[in-house]
Amino acid sequence: MERLIFHIDVNSAFLSWESARRVSQGIPEKMWPLPVRNLLFLGKASEQKLLNQGIRTIGDLAREREANVQLWLGEKPEYR
């Protein structure tokens, strides 16, 4: 399995818009096919709620309306 790793040190913490755009270009192709369980801080109960709604991949979740995800998982304003 290929891993997508981002490393930003203190000297390069401020990326230009163009640099940020280039870094993010490969994200949908590499991350969206991964299962939602690969998301950091997504617990088993939340994963099951998403699976019950037919959300199986990170891409499925990315394409879903935010209001639906809030309805299914509950709103946690401190994590927005």
Side-chain angles (χ1 to χ4, degrees):
M1 174 169 83
E2 183 179 340
R3 290 184 172 225
L4 180 64
I5 299 172
F6 291 101
H7 173 77
I8 299 176
D9 61 31
V10 174
N11 295 324
S12 61
F14 297 100
L15 296 174
S16 69
W17 175 254
E18 182 62 24
S19 296
R21 187 185 65 76
R22 277 184 288 186
V23 166
S24 66
Q25 281 181 333
I27 289 176
E29 294 83 17
K30 293 184 182 200
M31 287 188 69
W32 286 19
L34 298 175
V36 290
R37 73 176 159 270
N38 286 18
L39 288 171
L40 189 62
F41 303 117
L42 183 76
K44 290 183 182 200
S46 294
E47 177 191 5
Q48 191 58 53
K49 289 176 185 179
L50 292 174
L51 292 173
N52 291 343
Q53 297 299 325
I55 305 296
R56 304 215 176 317
T57 67
I58 293 172
D60 293 339
L61 184 60
R63 288 184 287 272
E64 189 56 60
R65 291 181 55 234
E66 182 179 351
N68 289 343
V69 176
Q70 287 177 346
L71 178 68
W72 302 330
L73 299 181
E75 189 170 342
K76 295 178 175 59
E78 65 273 13
Y79 296 111
R80 293 184 105 199

